[in-house]
């Protein structure tokens, strides 16, 4: 099945790893929103309330990898990161991606709203397409269990022994 919103904590981990705690905190909050996952929910600073709602997840995703990389770099980084957490190579399903793209108008609205207030600094189109790809990665229940265990193990993948993220990043992701 496709990972969908379960990808959010792992993209948040990648953003924290790539950009650091301060940069990420400047663009996305960590407080509970109390709202549905796809609500237009921002705080007084116009940041998404947290990275586990769509507005925050799109923002966190936009912080992964360097904006000057080629267009597919962010997707490769996310898929590689999800794969490292799972301990095996994961793949994106093109049919799921196509459906995400087709039905993504609300997420597009969130992305453009975040761009209009300066939270997403790049043209949000590519970040949104990459976010659709992120949600289209295929996993199974064992993958999810191991991915969660990797976070619980301080960022060390229990099957491979690979350090996937720092203990500080793992702690922050688990806290949020």
């Amino acid at each position: 099945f496709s990972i969908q919103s379960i990808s959010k904590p792992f993209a948040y981990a990648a953003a924290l790893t790539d950009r650091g705690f301060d940069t990420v905190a400047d663009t996305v909050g960590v407080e509970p929103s109390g709202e549905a996952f796809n609500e237009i929910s921002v705080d007084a600073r116009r940041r998404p309330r947290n990275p586990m709602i769509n507005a925050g997840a799109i923002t966190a995703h936009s912080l992964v990898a360097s904006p000057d990389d080629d267009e597919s770099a962010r997707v490769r980084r996310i898929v590689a990161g999800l794969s490292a957490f799972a301990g095996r190579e994961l793949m994106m399903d093109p049919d799921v991606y196509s459906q995400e793209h087709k039905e993504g108008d609300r997420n597009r609205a969130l992305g453009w709203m975040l761009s209009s207030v300066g939270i997403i600094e790049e043209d949000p189109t590519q970040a949104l397409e990459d976010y659709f790809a992120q949600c289209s990665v295929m996993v199974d229940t064992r993958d999810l269990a191991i991915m969660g265990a990797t976070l619980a193990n301080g960022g060390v993948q229990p099957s491979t022994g690979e350090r996937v993220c720092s203990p500080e990043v793992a702690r922050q992701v688990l806290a949020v």
Side-chain angles (χ1 to χ4, degrees):
F1 55 91
S2 58
I3 194 166
Q4 296 295 327
S5 285
I6 302 168
S7 66
K8 292 172 182 175
F10 306 101
Y12 180 54
L16 290 168
T17 299
D18 290 355
R19 301 298 177 121
F21 288 83
D22 292 339
T23 299
V24 174
D26 283 344
T27 57
V28 63
V30 294
E31 297 301 321
S33 70
E35 297 171 341
F37 72 97
N38 63 351
E39 287 296 315
I40 298 173
S41 176
V42 294
D43 64 16
R45 293 174 49 191
R46 296 185 175 191
R47 298 177 308 170
R49 294 198 190 281
N50 70 64
M52 303 308 149
I53 59 174
N54 286 13
I58 293 165
T59 301
H61 183 91
S62 76
L63 296 171
V64 173
S66 175
D68 58 291
D69 282 348
D70 66 86
E71 290 183 355
S72 61
R74 188 173 15 232
V75 172
R76 286 194 313 270
R77 166 83 169 97
I78 289 291
V79 173
L82 293 169
S83 297
F85 273 99
R88 72 177 187 95
E89 186 176 354
L90 301 176
M91 305 294 285
M92 185 188 82
D93 184 311
D95 292 332
V96 174
Y97 170 79
S98 178
Q99 185 65 24
E100 288 290 316
H101 174 81
K102 180 180 172 186
E103 302 294 327
D105 288 346
R106 185 157 184 97
N107 283 330
R108 283 186 193 88
L110 290 169
W112 283 101
M113 183 270 304
L114 293 165
S115 175
S116 75
V117 297
I119 294 296
I120 294 180
E121 294 181 353
E122 64 184 271
D123 177 341
T125 304
Q126 190 63 49
L128 288 159
E129 291 303 315
D130 293 349
Y131 177 71
F132 298 149
Q134 169 186 310
C135 293
S136 303
V137 172
M138 301 303 285
V139 293
D140 60 29
T141 55
R142 185 176 190 282
D143 294 328
L144 295 181
I146 291 173
M147 292 167 84
T150 301
L151 286 173
N153 198 30
V156 175
Q157 212 283 348
S159 302
T160 66
E162 177 187 357
R163 173 156 299 286
V164 177
C165 66
S166 72
E168 297 79 15
V169 166
R171 184 173 39 254
Q172 177 69 11
V173 171
L174 289 171
V176 173

